[in-house]
Amino acid sequence: MTSAAMAAADVGDDVAAGSRHLRIVHLFPDLLSVYGDAGNIQALVVRSRARGIVVERAVVLADTPRLPSGDLYVIGGGQDRDQMQVERSLQRIGDALTREVGEGAAVLAVCGGYQSLGVEYRILGERTIRGPGVLDVRTVSGSKRLVGPVVAHLEDPIFGLPGRTIVGFENHAGRTTIGPESTALARVEIGHGNDDDGTEGVLERPGARGLQGLRIGTYLHGPLLPRNPHLGDVLIAAGLSRTGQPTNLAPLDDRDEWAAHDRQIERCRKRTWTDRLPRRVRRMVEPARNLIGF
Amino acid sequence: VLATEAARVVGTLARLTGHRGTALPGMVAERIDPTILTELAAGLDPVIVVLGTNGKTTTTRLIATILEQVQGAAPVTNRSGANLRQGIASALINDPSVRRGGPRVPAVLEVDELAFGGVVAALRPRVVVILNLLRDQLDRYGEIDRVERRWRQDFARLPTTAVLVACADDPRLESLARAVDRPVLRFGLAASGRPPADARSLADAWAADAPSQLDVPGCPSCGERVVFSPESCGGLADWACPSCGTIRAELDLGVTVGPADASGTQALSFVGRAVEADSPHPRSVSIGLSGSAAAHDAAAAILAALSIGVTPAAAIAALDGATPAFGRLEDVAIGDKHVVLTLAKNPASLAQATEAAVIRRPDALLIGLSDKPADGRDVSWIWDAALERLRSIPSVTVTGSRADDMMLRFKYDTDDAVPAIVGRRVEIDRSVDRAFDASLGRVRPGGTLMVLATYTALLGIRGLLERRGAAPVLPR
């Protein structure tokens, strides 16, 4: 099967309405970009341009003095040490980010960025990293890392897709608790999520203003958006709504995206023959199985 | 004795039944006799251990090549890349020269980053070569910083007579080298006649030339990000810290990369106090390894050999015409076509593979992406290396258990609204056999098929080549 053109989608309406604009700001790619996070930006840019939207990209580095105004801010994951440097940089631009979000900008925060934009991240035995509270979440480091593929189901009907799945890969030591006013992004079917409590990520949006000011925090990388095109489009629409532009997005040919998405779910749900063995026997068999692949 | 014999029987059985099972004999032997590794390792001297996220197998092979030429006998080594504790035990069990009470034999062993702590006491290495600490298999390691912390503890347990051979181009290793109370010999890219300058102006000049440098390690003195020279070798290079003014330590052995030809041979020349004692002139050698990272690997191998008493002239000459290790830009002839096999497992190795693709100008590219534990279950690293340089290859096929993810990687590899994929053919075929045949079918006589694959996908393709009688059998 060959891939069909995404750009084959009908963009005539968009052109007739005058071209729309989207300003995407990538926060700290020099500090937080260890999990293919560049792929999230790439997905947003390509999927926007395929709809005839004119995309402006900006990058904020560790030492960038001022935060540029944007419609959609994206921040990725990194190591604890890098997050300490992010904390310093956020002390400089955190207020400006809070202001942008208050004015309706959208946010996607993944893994380390999810923790860094929260209220605090307590690294036990080290210290507490304070965040700007753009997301109402608090994180404490745990002793065991939570690592592996994730399948989760979206909670909020805003997407028009309640129950739709999202897939990704998690790798974090932090245990995150979401604030009382916030909702989880999704309910975990396979994997750990926020704190092995069945929730994954956070979804925040101010009251009745539709998608304006939508903030998503999540532990899922992989990267997130190429394999979850529905989430990418929600973020593009949220970014457009900041400046009151129409948010309708012509459908694209996403067969490849959904093939990757569905295949991960299928592989995660498939039980191998060792899953049926008693736990003690399984622990003996699996090392050998992983080594020589029977 | 029982354990060794049982393990050898298991190893033979495994091979007869078609499994490679390089680690299985060691596993069986250790079950029967947990002290077997210590006992067998007592028959080794000197032991050279090779550590690092990228280049272990190639460097181990180069050191073994030097020792074999200089000493007339091949050292004990884990050529197949089985570098966990059981794999190392297997290598010792399988080598008939390792005998209790027999003469001590030299050994060159690559060791997995996290397995090192478990074998350091048994192996008592005289030389530890540390190549780099780049991002690799984060689903296993969690964070690179964690590996660095583990190594600090592990190195403290080295024999007091041990010597470290470390890459000075990796600032992370410099922090380690400073923390370890053992002599350190440093290799790196020779500074190409740069005038002495202060670190800040160097950093400014380099920062202006370099593309966006992501994932850059911190300075060993102050922790701020360093700036690399644009003349890099597998992502590492001469560096300077713009914040505190620290520059790279003085090299014992510097390497300069000469031109590479399309067959993959490149010229390397060596300078520095380690070779100048022998001769005041730079020494050169032509090796059959392409890719700038091979320069670091060759320098590491020479410095390791020098540290156990091999002369510079002999060590450098021994690398003449050295050939690649299994799946490291290995060139296999099949009929009138070439297949170049390359392991791609993390951003650095993927970047090296794309660099090689520019030199080899293949007609077709086959990418095998799998996510078994040996490959790393997290494949997000495919998004962390630039693939623009692959756009000129006429035909691309993706295969493996995560072929869908590779397909998306290509689909979104574009700066335009129209994905780059539209203008050319990227095919997806989950059957490795079919994907390989289709790809090879698109290669002209005399042309090259380039294969980039994760570990298990590469084994599958390698097995296919063996069944067709094209490749030499997997070295034991």
Side-chain angles (χ1 to χ4, degrees), chain B residues 360-417:
Chain B
R360 307 302 296 254
R361 298 178 163 281
D363 290 333
L365 174 67
L366 173 63
I367 300 190
L369 184 67
S370 289
D371 63 355
K372 292 210 175 99
D375 301 304
R377 290 179 300 155
D378 180 1
V379 299
S380 59
W381 52 267
I382 60 173
W383 295 82
D384 291 324
L387 298 187
E388 287 93 344
R389 290 193 283 195
L390 300 179
R391 285 181 192 167
S392 59
I393 300 175
S395 152
V396 177
T397 306
V398 294
T399 188
S401 60
R402 296 295 290 270
D404 303 271
D405 291 75
M406 200 65 223
M407 184 72 171
L408 291 185
R409 176 68 185 87
F410 279 113
K411 184 166 177 177
Y412 285 96
D413 178 40
T414 170
D415 298 321
D416 313 316

Side-chain angles (χ1 to χ4, degrees), chain B residues 277-362:
Chain B
D278 192 47
S279 149
H281 306 294
R283 298 182 167 276
S284 302
V285 70
S286 196
I287 61 170
L289 309 179
S290 47
S292 61
H296 268 157
D297 299 342
I302 290 168
L303 205 47
L306 300 190
S307 67
I308 58 163
V310 178
T311 65
I316 295 172
L319 290 186
D320 184 31
T323 53
F326 163 68
R328 272 68 174 186
L329 294 172
E330 187 186 16
D331 193 333
V332 176
I334 180 161
D336 57 358
K337 299 171 180 179
H338 288 272
V339 178
V340 175
L341 298 168
T342 307
L343 180 72
K345 56 167 189 163
N346 55 25
S349 61
L350 184 57
Q352 285 158 27
T354 60
E355 177 191 305
V358 175
I359 297 169
R360 307 302 296 254
R361 298 178 163 281

Side-chain angles (χ1 to χ4, degrees), chain B residues 429-445:
Chain B
D429 194 331
R430 287 191 196 84
S431 149
V432 173
D433 291 29
R434 265 204 318 263
F436 179 82
D437 287 335
S439 301
L440 194 63
R442 293 190 202 104
V443 175
R444 298 164 300 180

Side-chain angles (χ1 to χ4, degrees), chain A residues 30 61, chain B residues 203-216 226-232 235 237 386 388-389:
Chain A
D30 53 339
L61 300 176
Chain B
D204 286 349
W206 288 340
D209 285 357
S212 62
Q213 301 191 343
L214 301 181
D215 223 3
V216 173
V226 304
V227 177
F228 281 117
S229 155
E231 226 172 284
S232 96
E388 287 93 344
R389 290 193 283 195

Side-chain angles (χ1 to χ4, degrees), chain B residues 3-4 26-40 85 89 100 118 122:
Chain B
T4 320
M27 206 160 78
V28 170
E30 289 214 295
R31 269 288 149 91
I32 300 172
D33 178 4
T35 65
I36 184 129
L37 184 63
T38 310
E39 280 176 33
L40 289 173
R85 189 185 165 91
R100 274 182 194 77

Side-chain angles (χ1 to χ4, degrees), chain A residues 34 42 49 79 82 171 257, chain B residues 135 143 225 412 414-415:
Chain A
V34 298
Q42 205 58 24
R49 287 185 177 156
Q79 313 201 60
D82 300 316
N171 184 351
E257 286 79 350
Chain B
R135 194 142 60 78
E143 300 189 340
R225 262 138 223 273
Y412 285 96
T414 170
D415 298 321

